[in-house]
Amino acid sequence: MARHYRRGTCWRLAWENGLLTESECVKCGGDPDLFIAPALFDPQINGYAGVDFQQDNLTAEALLEAARRLRRDGCARFLLTLITDSWPALTRRLRHLAAVRREHPELQAALAGWHIEGPFLSEKPGFCGAHAPDLMLDPTPELLAELRRLTAPDPLVITLAPERAGSLTAIRKAAVMGIRISLGHTDADTTLIETALAAGAVGFTHLANGCPRLLDRHDNILWRVLGGSLARPAVTSPPRFIGLIADGIHVSPDLFRLLHQWLPQERIYYTTDAMAAAASPPGKYTLGKLEVEVGPEGVVRLPGTPYFAGSALRPIQAVQRAARILQRPWAEVWAHAAAIPAAFAGVPNSLQPGQPANFCLVRPAMEGIPQIERTYFHGQPTPP
């Protein structure tokens, strides 16, 4: 028993066989400084704790280690993310990971689904980010159907650039297949973005990233997305969800604050976009075929370039940094890293009966910054 993270009242959870059976307000009697909150959810994890998901033939032990370390940092479930590679390599890797997941109940419970970021992205410098431009492909219903076959019936998110040939047809077909399309790594114009959203795209992947460091001040992808979302809401189909990497690095603190002022709060979700360096010391790591460097400040860069390549951010750090940047109580920003990203992925994540008993016990420290005291996964406490 602890206090409900939003209501502030004493709250009790009960569960059986890993599922919540009761979730109710009760008379106070627990620790007044301990809070119950839904476990965090991240829809874009490329690797974690030294484990690079972009490598072939990963073992169940490696995936379990990454999942368990994520739980220690508050994240009970996530979308395993694969980035651009040759189509045979990408599908071979996905087939292997899906087979490993099917053999292990713990992985089935932790790995909520899949996020394929590429190869349907812009090949333009800057917009391709750390993805290999020579491996980009145009999306076709056949390619999407193959990804759906390899992952069915799990939740599947695909990030694509709508300017690629055939994208609008692919977006319409994706909805029929149960695939959620998110736009990203794109230099599409406003009209094309609006058309893609009207066709069924549900969101935008890590806005303000996947683009050049220097942008035209009058016409750039950031203004196009926000212009379509805000300037003419009566005649547009704004993104239902807009993702932000909440580390204060990928999105500057000033822009981060402005986005929270401009956008409806229920549309903003946080992701770490974490790769193998997350929860690991500074050094050199792999991201697929790339070797990346992580400095003492925790920034992941392609060596010799100013370009970022994922992040070393831990899920609880996303909440901590967002609370600091926005100067808001941690409980107000928690949903951006829990319920809202889960909704983006099409996965329920709440403290309601019938849901998995995945929750965090949170104790605010100095200046109200939240610290994870323990994460519960299907009712079982995660070892410290």
Side-chain angles (χ1 to χ4, degrees):
M1 185 168 61
R3 294 168 62 189
H4 191 281
Y5 78 114
R6 289 302 302 270
R7 304 184 188 202
T9 56
C10 292
W11 206 260
R12 185 177 73 91
L13 298 178
W15 57 89
E16 186 175 348
N17 298 323
L19 297 179
L20 291 172
T21 56
E22 298 179 43
S23 180
E24 59 185 0
C25 181
V26 295
K27 291 184 179 180
C28 286
D31 187 336
D33 296 322
L34 192 64
F35 292 81
I36 294 176
L40 302 178
F41 184 99
D42 199 313
Q44 194 166 357
I45 298 288
N46 309 281
Y48 206 76
V51 181
D52 180 12
F53 296 163
Q54 317 308 312
Q55 301 301 314
D56 291 328
N57 302 316
L58 278 178
T59 64
E61 289 71 24
L63 291 173
L64 286 166
E65 173 64 15
R68 291 166 182 169
R69 293 289 296 276
L70 276 163
R71 288 204 289 275
R72 285 171 54 183
D73 290 323
C75 180
R77 305 180 77 193
F78 62 96
L79 297 188
L80 188 151
T81 302
L82 294 180
I83 65 170
T84 303
D85 204 334
S86 70
W87 190 254
L90 175 66
T91 53
R92 182 177 63 249
R93 194 167 298 136
L94 181 58
R95 184 179 296 106
H96 168 73
L97 292 170
V100 172
R101 177 183 180 273
R102 284 193 296 269
E103 295 299 317
H104 292 81
E106 184 179 343
L107 286 176
Q108 293 176 36
L111 201 171
W114 312 87
H115 184 162
I116 307 301
E117 188 189 13
F120 313 127
L121 310 176
S122 172
E123 76 283 359
K124 292 183 179 180
F127 292 100
C128 66
H131 297 251
D134 57 315
L135 297 178
M136 299 305 182
L137 297 175
D138 294 329
T140 66
E142 293 75 20
L143 294 179
L144 266 60
E146 184 173 0
L147 294 176
R148 179 71 284 185
R149 285 194 301 272
L150 292 173
T151 58
D154 307 330
L156 173 61
V157 172
I158 296 176
T159 293
L160 62 73
E163 64 267 35
R164 297 211 68 91
S167 287
L168 296 179
T169 297
I171 292 171
R172 296 186 184 99
K173 295 288 187 181
V176 178
M177 299 179 199
I179 299 172
R180 300 170 80 84
I181 296 295
S182 185
L183 308 181
H185 287 274
T186 173
D187 192 27
D189 61 32
T190 301
T191 298
L192 185 52
I193 291 171
E194 293 179 354
T195 303
L197 293 168
V202 301
F204 204 94
T205 298
H206 53 46
L207 185 64
N209 296 284
C211 59
R213 289 175 60 86
L214 299 179
L215 295 170
D216 188 295
R217 64 180 177 178
H218 297 298
D219 179 26
N220 61 63
I221 188 61
L222 182 61
W223 296 130
R224 293 172 208 155
V225 173
L226 295 177
S229 300
L230 304 170
R232 301 183 302 282
V235 295
T236 60
S237 299
R240 288 168 53 196
F241 301 98
I242 290 181
L244 302 175
I245 301 175
D247 59 0
I249 299 167
H250 285 76
V251 182
S252 71
D254 286 340
L255 178 56
F256 194 79
R257 283 188 286 267
L258 286 171
L259 290 170
H260 282 75
Q261 293 174 18
W262 292 339
L263 293 168
Q265 296 303 294
E266 67 274 11
R267 291 186 191 165
I268 301 172
Y269 75 85
Y270 300 158
T271 179
T272 60
D273 195 16
M275 44 77 68
S280 301
K284 293 184 178 181
Y285 295 87
T286 61
L287 181 61
K289 298 176 182 177
L290 301 174
E291 183 178 82
V292 298
E293 293 179 340
V294 184
E297 77 285 9
V299 180
V300 184
R301 289 189 173 91
L302 293 175
T305 79
Y307 294 121
F308 300 143
S311 86
L313 187 67
R314 296 182 292 117
I316 185 57
Q317 287 180 319
V319 176
Q320 293 167 341
R321 295 188 188 185
R324 286 194 185 99
I325 293 169
L326 298 174
Q327 295 186 328
R328 294 181 183 176
W330 68 270
E332 289 188 12
V333 303
W334 191 271
H336 296 296
I340 301 175
F344 162 72
V347 177
N349 186 35
S350 72
L351 297 178
Q352 295 301 310
Q355 294 299 311
N358 297 336
F359 59 92
C360 295
L361 294 180
V362 181
R363 188 180 298 278
M366 294 180 60
E367 300 180 353
I369 298 301
Q371 304 293 331
I372 300 293
E373 188 154 300
R374 189 65 61 86
T375 302
Y376 280 73
F377 179 66
H378 282 241
Q380 297 298 313
T382 298

